[in-house]
Amino acid sequence: MDIDHFAVHDGPGIRTCLFLKGCPLTCLWCHSPESQLREPQILFAQNRCVKCGLCAAACENYGQILDEEGNREYRRENCRECRRCVESCPTGALFVSGTQMSVTEAAAELIQDKLFYKNSGGGVTISGGECLLQPVFTKQLLMRMKAEGIHTIVETSGCGKKEDLLALADYTDTFYYDFKLADPAMFEKYTGGNLNTVRENLEALREKTDRIVLRIPLIPYITDTMENVKEAYKTAQRLEIRQIHLLPYNQSAGAKYEWCGRNYELGDKGRNTAWAEELCKAAPREIEATIMK
């Protein structure tokens, strides 16, 4: 989906973060809805559109419409993904999310920042989407990074095959593992996933490595309740996981949903930072809970 150079929020030091497309979950609060489909997709940023009509002229299937009154519409149901509209757009209002790359191509781009990793204590982070949907690619890429002596982090929801997750452990310095919800019914309601899979994979991973950080997205009145966060602390205590990251709710996702032609149901709901601090203070002494910026 993207390669973010000089990232500073995806692990220690200066990092390059590779975001894979494709995710088995449909979290209500997903900050990157364009990551959910594995296939490349055309996005439309309406605020960049100058209504020049070039895309409509290029589209043979009436996917891009500009009527005589200047009304602009992207009819996605007619789109054949031929990308002629993207090629004709002069402002970048139409663009593609998703690029096919080989392991060799991706590794070459990540390795070029090696000097910055070394000087800052950084490295490479593989995120998504969900890397467990592309386990062979992820493993081979991690192997290339370790052969270069590069620090690696894998961000995962834990939704995937156990054997695929465990196969990454030998080449991963730290796992950032999501803890979304402790209640199975709420987990299925808000993410579309199976909590038992996430739990079983976490326990199996912990048997193989202790380099795990639990990460809790603080979604107002859904995941950021004191009850849910305390369940995460209990899980960390039981599995002897020492670090938890609290991730404040990001309200800027709405624009991306518009790009995808979808509605963003959560909107600008939020709690003040004082509540996150209360959640942080509730952590047991042996757990290092940190509010991430």
Side-chain angles (χ1 to χ4, degrees):
M1 183 178 72
D2 191 18
I3 297 179
D4 185 11
H5 296 272
F6 301 98
V8 294
H9 299 296
D10 298 290
I14 295 174
R15 311 191 71 81
T16 300
C17 189
L18 183 143
F19 296 90
L20 294 173
K21 267 182 72 67
C23 184
L25 301 180
T26 54
C27 300
L28 185 65
W29 53 85
C30 179
H31 186 255
S32 299
E34 74 278 22
S35 74
Q36 293 178 6
L37 291 179
R38 182 165 177 175
E39 301 78 15
Q41 62 193 114
I42 296 174
L43 305 182
F44 174 46
Q46 190 164 0
N47 63 322
R48 302 176 191 169
C49 179
V50 295
K51 299 181 180 180
C52 64
L54 292 176
C55 60
C59 181
E60 299 178 349
N61 206 46
Y62 302 101
Q64 305 293 345
I65 302 296
L66 183 68
D67 63 24
E68 294 179 356
E69 298 178 356
N71 297 314
R72 173 74 171 82
E73 185 180 357
Y74 180 8
R75 296 181 179 175
R76 296 174 185 273
E77 66 275 12
N78 292 343
C79 183
R80 294 176 178 172
E81 297 282 342
C82 68
R83 305 189 186 182
R84 291 175 183 169
C85 60
V86 175
E87 295 167 359
S88 68
C89 181
T91 65
L94 289 161
F95 58 102
V96 177
S97 173
T99 303
Q100 291 185 346
M101 299 182 76
S102 67
V103 172
T104 298
E105 290 170 332
E109 185 160 348
L110 299 177
I111 291 171
Q112 70 182 2
D113 293 334
K114 185 177 178 179
L115 182 62
F116 297 102
Y117 310 151
K118 182 178 179 180
N119 291 339
S120 69
V124 166
T125 299
I126 300 182
S127 188
E130 174 52 61
C131 66
L132 295 180
L133 285 189
Q134 301 189 51
V136 176
F137 178 93
T138 301
K139 180 181 177 181
Q140 291 182 359
L141 190 58
L142 288 169
M143 291 173 67
R144 295 281 187 97
M145 295 305 102
K146 296 316 297 178
E148 293 286 335
I150 295 173
H151 183 274
T152 57
I153 291 177
V154 167
E155 294 186 346
T156 180
S157 66
C159 290
K161 294 181 180 179
K162 186 184 302 181
E163 57 269 28
D164 290 337
L165 176 63
L166 297 181
L168 304 181
D170 291 335
Y171 311 100
T172 303
D173 290 300
T174 304
F175 285 91
Y176 283 175
Y177 200 103
D178 288 353
F179 187 105
K180 301 178 189 294
L181 287 158
D183 179 82
M186 289 185 66
F187 188 90
E188 182 177 6
K189 175 182 177 180
Y190 287 110
T191 76
N194 187 316
L195 184 57
N196 287 334
T197 298
V198 176
R199 287 174 171 170
E200 291 173 4
N201 284 349
L202 177 59
E203 295 193 6
L205 182 63
R206 179 61 187 87
E207 290 181 2
K208 189 162 185 177
T209 177
D210 62 355
R211 303 185 301 275
I212 302 172
V213 178
L214 290 187
R215 308 194 102 194
I216 311 172
L218 299 180
I219 311 306
Y221 311 103
I222 300 176
T223 70
D224 77 341
T225 64
M226 185 64 76
E227 178 184 16
N228 187 61
V229 173
K230 283 187 174 181
E231 286 299 319
Y233 293 154
K234 290 178 183 178
T235 298
Q237 282 181 301
R238 180 173 59 82
L239 297 178
E240 297 183 343
I241 295 173
R242 303 304 183 191
Q243 281 188 285
I244 286 184
H245 290 171
L246 304 177
L247 311 179
Y249 174 55
N250 191 324
Q251 301 183 24
S252 64
K256 291 187 176 183
Y257 282 80
E258 291 180 6
W259 295 350
C260 297
R262 296 169 55 184
N263 294 323
Y264 186 49
E265 297 183 29
L266 284 182
D268 59 358
K269 297 177 181 179
R271 297 206 205 197
N272 57 34
T273 55
W275 178 243
E277 292 170 358
E278 287 299 313
L279 296 172
C280 196
K281 292 176 182 177
R285 290 184 179 181
E286 67 270 27
I287 304 296
E288 179 185 348
T290 306
I291 302 172
M292 307 304 290
K293 294 182 180 180

